[in-house]
Amino acid sequence: MKLALRNLLRNPAFAVTAVLSLALGIGANTAIFTLTNQILLRMVPVKEPQRLVAFHWTGQFIGGSTRGYEDCFSYPMYADLGGSSDAFTGIAARYQEAVDVSDQGPAERATAELVSGNYFDVLGVTPALGRLLTPDEDKRKGGEPYVVLSYDYWQRRFGGDPSAVHRAIDVNGHPMTVVGVAQRGFQGVSLMSPADLFVPVMMKTVVTPTWDDMNRRDSIWLHVFARLRPGVDPLAAQRSLAGVYRAALEHDLAANGRDAKFSERYVKNQLRLVDGSQGFGGMGEFFSKPLYVLLAMVGTLLLIACANVANLLIARAQGRQKEISIRLALGASRRSLMRLIMTESLLVAAASGVLGLLLSDWTASLLVSLLPFQNIAAAIRTSPDWRILAFTAAISLLAALLAGVAPALQAARPGLAPALKSESRGASLGLGQTRFRRVLICAQVALSFLLLATAGLFARSLYKLMTVNSGIETNRLLAFTVDPSMHNYTADRARRLFLDLQTALARVPGAQMSSGVSYAVLANNNWQNTVHIEGYRPSNGEDMNPGYNEMLPGFFSTAGVRLIAGRDFNERDTAGAPAVVIVNETFQQRFFPHDSPLGHRIGWGGSGPANMEIVGVVKDMKEGDLKEKPKPWTFTPVLQNPAPGAVTFYVRTSRNPLTVAQAARQVVHRMDSALPVYDLKTLDAQIDETHFLDRLLAWLSVAFGLLATLLASIGLYGITAFSVTRRTQEIGIRMALGAARGNVLRLVMREVLVLAAAGLAIGVAASLTLGRLLESQLFEMKANDPAVIAGAIAVVLLVSIVAGYLPARRATHIDPMQSLRWE
């Protein structure tokens, strides 16, 4: 160990270069693994999380209202399932929603988790202070005004003050008593959306004042989970619920009349139990594919770094051939020499691991700070834990083996006689070692091409995504949200507020017009409702769930969406007026391909009165995100909603929208100083947030691709410089016999281009084979895009030429007389 350390200290340039090369690869891998660990591998911090199971279903949707899909259930369905099997110690439910919380001051946004009374018992969570909610507080609707705080929220909002317990706070304008604080570290079962407070599900109308749905069997919104009894198999537990679930499906049909064919399909729905140890909420699935792609990329980067260090070790062995030969001649075993070289490799990898850990902490913190969702950013801890430390140690050891084993094997087999005679040609590396270095360079070029091609695909995909026609004129639009329903507004008062705000905002200096919607556009809001259309008979299994949103008058003009036929909403489309609806172009093409939809009527649900008249048709626009495919949409007036909730206002401006942001806040404040303004941003900023994963993948892939190319160019420069040094006598002889400098330059560059071409050939073949795995992350692109492949080839060739030209140019200045005497 001491000898290996002294050898490294005697060669600081080698040590620093090797440590930095590996540290970049190890740091990148550890940073991405840190995010993967937090998002995909972390378990819910409760008692025995491996015994938790989440309820899912597959089959036919009953039709109606949904705030989720196959992982959501109606409250009556949960009541049917709860306590229905001896396979569980308990079956619980939860639903999450944003609320306004005030405590002797202005209201602030918080995340509330509506929970069943046995929620904490099923999870095995204990109180840090006070008490938790009990099953008795899950029986009387609206009669249990209690709330439990998460430990982090208690610290952040109340400064950890013990007097917060038993204090009354306002939740959406309703006084509720804090009865306790949950154990430290527990913030609900959705790890990527931590809850601030927990409210009994019986207080749902406080948390969701604009919709109740506690008695609706065709409104699915609750997440249901359970804890298995010790020794019970999940499949056995699932089978034990089959009869109860079928009976609940029949109750659904009894409450919502459906025809015989639909009923036959519906009762065949299947209930599934899935692993719940890592929580609920679907964010893991959202992040999983991008994280796996990034892990593959940083793994490739580490391979390039290891190849670079292996090349450095082989080059360094050139100067140690005589030393190694003397040791062998004096009786040292080849195993002991290999151990010495591997010890040096391990020391380099250990130093790289420590530096990489520091780099990863900074990199992971930077990546988390780029996340647009504050609740997700707050849920991710970037400080190293035992998993991160173990991962860093493992890849450091792996890097040491990858970088050191082959050089150790090569260096421990020198030609003893030439080395002991100090012959220049014998003291240089042998042909086998030179071939191995060339193989490493080809591998580096191939891997760097793979990363560059991947970077090009993600960058071009992002460009195509950001330039797609959304159907909305997104520039110069300011957006913000207000929710008077959380401040005890009546429906009539809320409607007056919306119209007054719309008028006042349009008069702000710099503003041109204003309107609003219930669900912010291009913000991943994909609300949909089941519809039936007067005179239209859907085919079996036909999707009758078009997208849905609510608009204030003039929204389409404000957003720059063209009206094709009919009229827009106006102030007369309010409560008590005939119900009206506007549809988009795709709705017309699908349901009225040969007729105008104007004057036809539709209704919500699979049956019932078709009481809404279609009064307009608008051009298609993307509502959820820019990747959205054209689909039918329906739009109704906000003013006709019997219980209007939050509205996101949009202000079209004549200049930079942010210049009128403060004036917009003041307009709201003048109308109601207690009404908070949320999510104030431009629509372009909203689009960036919605597609932040696409942007992050593009940025990181470009960064990794450039870094890989830099490492590969260093390796190519090193072997070219070594080749020039090794062939000094040959080049001197050629020049003495009359070879021109151009001939020498071509001689050296030919080898460079051969290595680059071989690496590119391997890289192109690999990219065409592996590229299909990326296509799910690309937007309207194929992985074999010719422009991207050609661009990556051009970049690699250019870098290779530059890396090879510098030593090649030095070769043209060799003095023949000196080279003939060179040893």
Side-chain angles (χ1 to χ4, degrees):
M1 177 72 77
K2 291 181 180 179
L3 178 59
L5 184 59
R6 284 200 303 269
N7 286 337
L8 291 175
L9 293 177
R10 281 199 299 265
N11 296 273
F14 161 78
V16 170
T17 304
V19 167
L20 286 178
S21 294
L22 278 186
L24 289 172
I26 292 172
N29 275 269
T30 304
I32 300 303
F33 179 77
T34 297
L35 301 183
T36 304
N37 175 54
Q38 287 286 299
I39 296 172
L40 301 183
L41 304 179
R42 186 169 42 142
M43 289 190 175
V44 182
V46 298
K47 178 183 177 182
E48 297 181 283
Q50 67 275 8
R51 285 172 47 203
L52 294 177
V53 290
F55 286 34
H56 285 227
W57 60 271
T58 56
Q60 182 77 46
F61 176 44
I62 187 67
S65 172
T66 170
R67 285 169 171 80
Y69 205 65
E70 293 186 343
D71 61 343
C72 287
F73 297 81
S74 68
Y75 184 82
M77 172 72 78
Y78 161 66
D80 289 343
L81 296 174
S84 58
S85 172
D86 292 335
F88 311 102
T89 60
I91 300 176
R94 45 82 66 177
Y95 173 77
Q96 197 173 89
E97 189 68 86
V99 294
D100 282 351
V101 178
S102 60
D103 173 43
Q104 301 174 355
E108 294 182 6
R109 203 70 152 176
T111 301
E113 188 128 317
L114 281 166
V115 301
S116 57
N118 63 345
Y119 174 87
F120 293 107
D121 289 343
V122 170
L123 292 173
V125 173
T126 57
L129 194 67
R131 68 171 180 86
L132 303 178
L133 301 176
T134 68
D136 289 337
E137 290 162 350
D138 192 17
K139 296 179 179 179
R140 194 158 51 99
K141 189 173 180 181
E144 309 295 343
Y146 305 124
V147 61
V148 171
L149 307 178
S150 74
Y151 189 92
D152 283 4
Y153 186 68
W154 174 55
Q155 293 287 329
R156 185 173 70 249
R157 182 70 189 268
F158 299 94
D161 184 0
S163 68
V165 176
H166 306 308
R167 183 185 302 180
I169 61 174
D170 277 353
V171 178
N172 288 346
H174 294 266
M176 302 190 74
T177 302
V178 176
V179 297
V181 177
Q183 68 185 38
R184 187 171 190 170
F186 178 76
Q187 294 179 276
V189 292
S190 181
L191 295 178
M192 288 297 101
S193 183
D196 296 318
L197 44 96
F198 304 89
V199 180
V201 73
M202 286 297 156
M203 300 301 297
K204 182 179 180 299
T205 53
V206 171
V207 174
T208 61
T210 61
W211 62 282
D212 185 352
D213 289 8
M214 289 285 282
N215 298 319
R216 284 184 59 182
R217 301 195 73 97
D218 63 344
S219 176
I220 59 175
W221 51 280
L222 267 178
H223 294 106
V224 180
F225 63 95
R227 178 177 290 276
L228 295 171
R229 290 190 184 278
V232 174
D233 178 75
L235 289 177
Q238 181 175 302
R239 288 192 294 269
S240 72
L241 287 171
V244 177
Y245 181 60
R246 182 182 175 90
L249 294 174
E250 292 172 348
H251 293 160
D252 288 350
L253 292 171
N256 300 275
R258 297 291 187 267
D259 59 39
K261 289 185 177 179
F262 181 93
S263 299
E264 183 180 354
R265 293 196 307 272
Y266 188 68
V267 295
K268 293 180 180 178
N269 285 6
Q270 297 292 316
L271 185 68
R272 297 187 302 115
L273 300 184
V274 301
D275 177 35
S277 63
Q278 294 178 327
F280 318 100
M283 294 306 293
E285 182 178 348
F286 176 67
F287 282 102
S288 60
K289 287 185 179 179
L291 283 173
Y292 290 143
V293 169
L294 290 175
L295 280 173
M297 293 176 69
V298 293
T300 303
L301 184 64
L302 181 61
L303 288 177
I304 295 173
C306 290
N308 233 19
V309 174
N311 255 325
L312 288 172
L313 288 169
I314 294 174
R316 182 167 177 263
Q318 177 186 8
R320 304 179 66 186
Q321 290 290 291
K322 187 171 183 178
E323 171 200 340
I324 292 172
S325 297
I326 291 172
R327 289 177 180 274
L328 288 171
L330 292 176
S333 67
R334 297 185 186 275
R335 179 177 297 179
S336 65
L337 291 173
M338 289 181 61
R339 189 184 306 122
L340 173 63
I341 296 173
M342 282 305 302
T343 301
E344 293 179 6
S345 179
L346 286 168
L347 286 173
V348 168
S352 300
V354 173
L355 181 57
L357 195 61
L358 297 175
L359 288 174
S360 74
D361 190 28
W362 176 83
T363 304
S365 298
L366 176 63
L367 293 178
V368 169
S369 70
L370 295 175
L371 296 178
F373 310 119
Q374 290 184 357
N375 58 338
I376 294 179
I380 298 176
R381 306 283 192 267
T382 59
S383 54
D385 58 16
W386 69 269
R387 276 185 178 174
I388 304 304
L389 295 175
F391 177 82
T392 305
I395 62 170
S396 298
L397 177 61
L398 177 64
L401 295 174
L402 290 175
V405 169
L409 290 171
Q410 296 272 352
R413 294 197 300 266
L416 291 182
L420 291 173
K421 292 178 182 178
S422 298
E423 293 181 3
S424 61
R425 299 175 73 86
S428 66
L429 293 181
L431 182 61
Q433 292 167 312
T434 301
R435 285 176 177 171
F436 182 68
R437 290 194 71 190
R438 288 172 177 167
V439 169
L440 287 177
I441 291 301
C442 288
Q444 283 184 285
V445 171
L447 292 174
S448 63
F449 171 82
L450 269 177
L451 289 185
L452 271 180
T454 302
L457 288 172
F458 283 126
R460 192 166 185 209
S461 173
L462 179 64
Y463 174 78
K464 291 171 72 74
L465 182 63
M466 292 295 110
T467 56
V468 72
N469 181 13
S470 67
I472 299 174
E473 294 180 12
T474 59
N475 62 318
R476 295 186 291 108
L477 269 181
L478 180 72
F480 66 88
T481 302
V482 295
D483 192 350
S485 69
M486 294 186 176
H487 294 266
N488 294 322
Y489 272 62
T490 64
D492 285 339
R493 186 183 171 203
R495 295 186 191 103
R496 286 195 300 271
L497 174 73
F498 294 148
L499 291 175
D500 290 346
L501 272 177
Q502 182 177 2
T503 301
L505 289 169
R507 294 173 180 170
V508 167
Q512 295 176 326
M513 60 185 76
S514 174
S515 188
V517 298
S518 289
Y519 307 105
V521 298
L522 298 175
N524 272 331
N525 291 318
N526 287 298
W527 186 264
Q528 57 186 20
N529 266 342
T530 305
V531 300
H532 60 277
I533 303 170
E534 191 175 54
Y536 181 84
R537 295 181 61 83
S539 58
N540 286 338
E542 182 176 358
D543 183 5
M544 296 297 291
N545 299 284
Y548 171 72
N549 209 338
E550 299 173 341
M551 272 81 176
L552 287 173
F555 172 78
F556 298 112
S557 299
T558 302
V561 180
R562 186 165 64 87
L563 192 68
I564 297 176
R567 67 173 179 87
D568 197 350
F569 299 131
N570 56 51
E571 294 184 11
R572 293 187 296 275
D573 297 318
T574 189
V580 294
V581 62
I582 293 174
V583 300
N584 70 341
E585 192 174 13
T586 298
F587 188 101
Q588 176 182 6
Q589 291 169 354
R590 176 172 163 185
F591 298 112
F592 301 94
H594 308 298
D595 189 14
S596 169
L598 298 181
H600 288 267
R601 308 181 76 82
I602 69 172
W604 300 135
S607 60
N611 59 342
M612 294 182 292
E613 180 185 353
I614 299 175
V615 296
V617 181
V618 295
K619 290 286 290 184
D620 287 345
M621 65 175 182
K622 296 183 184 294
E623 282 266 342
D625 60 38
L626 294 176
K627 296 180 180 179
E628 184 178 273
K629 302 296 183 184
K631 69 175 184 178
W633 276 85
T634 57
F635 309 101
T636 60
V638 170
L639 301 179
Q640 289 192 337
N641 188 327
V647 164
T648 298
F649 280 87
Y650 294 88
V651 183
R652 170 74 61 186
T653 64
S654 58
R655 53 179 188 265
N656 185 341
L658 293 178
T659 60
V660 303
Q662 186 57 35
R665 281 189 182 276
Q666 291 172 353
V667 167
V668 177
H669 188 267
R670 283 196 298 270
M671 293 192 178
D672 186 345
S673 60
L675 193 62
V677 172
Y678 301 116
D679 299 327
L680 182 65
K681 67 190 77 169
T682 66
L683 184 56
D684 286 332
Q686 175 62 68
I687 293 172
D688 288 346
E689 290 183 7
T690 299
H691 294 284
F692 81 96
L693 265 183
D694 300 278
R695 299 170 67 85
L696 193 64
L697 272 175
W699 294 339
L700 290 179
S701 63
V702 169
F704 294 148
L706 294 176
L707 185 56
T709 305
L710 174 63
L711 291 174
S713 67
I714 292 172
L716 189 57
Y717 171 85
I719 195 171
T720 305
F722 167 73
S723 178
V724 168
T725 301
R726 182 172 178 269
R727 300 173 68 182
T728 297
Q729 285 186 337
E730 174 195 343
I731 293 171
I733 293 172
R734 287 177 179 271
M735 296 183 72
L737 294 175
R741 294 183 186 274
N743 292 333
V744 173
L745 186 66
R746 283 192 293 273
L747 176 69
V748 177
M749 290 302 297
R750 185 184 304 121
E751 182 178 359
V752 172
L753 293 176
V754 167
L755 290 176
L760 283 172
I762 298 170
V764 170
S767 71
L768 294 177
T769 303
L770 301 176
R772 289 189 293 272
L773 300 176
L774 298 176
E775 288 185 355
S776 64
Q777 299 298 309
L778 301 176
F779 177 69
E780 295 184 351
M781 280 190 65
K782 294 294 184 182
N784 59 354
D785 186 84
V788 170
I789 292 176
I793 290 174
V795 171
V796 172
L797 280 177
L798 178 61
V799 171
S800 300
I801 290 171
V802 172
Y805 177 76
L806 297 176
R809 186 172 180 274
R810 190 173 73 244
T812 64
H813 291 82
I814 290 176
D815 185 337
M817 294 302 295
Q818 290 182 353
S819 66
L820 291 175
R821 294 193 297 267
W822 179 85
E823 291 186 1

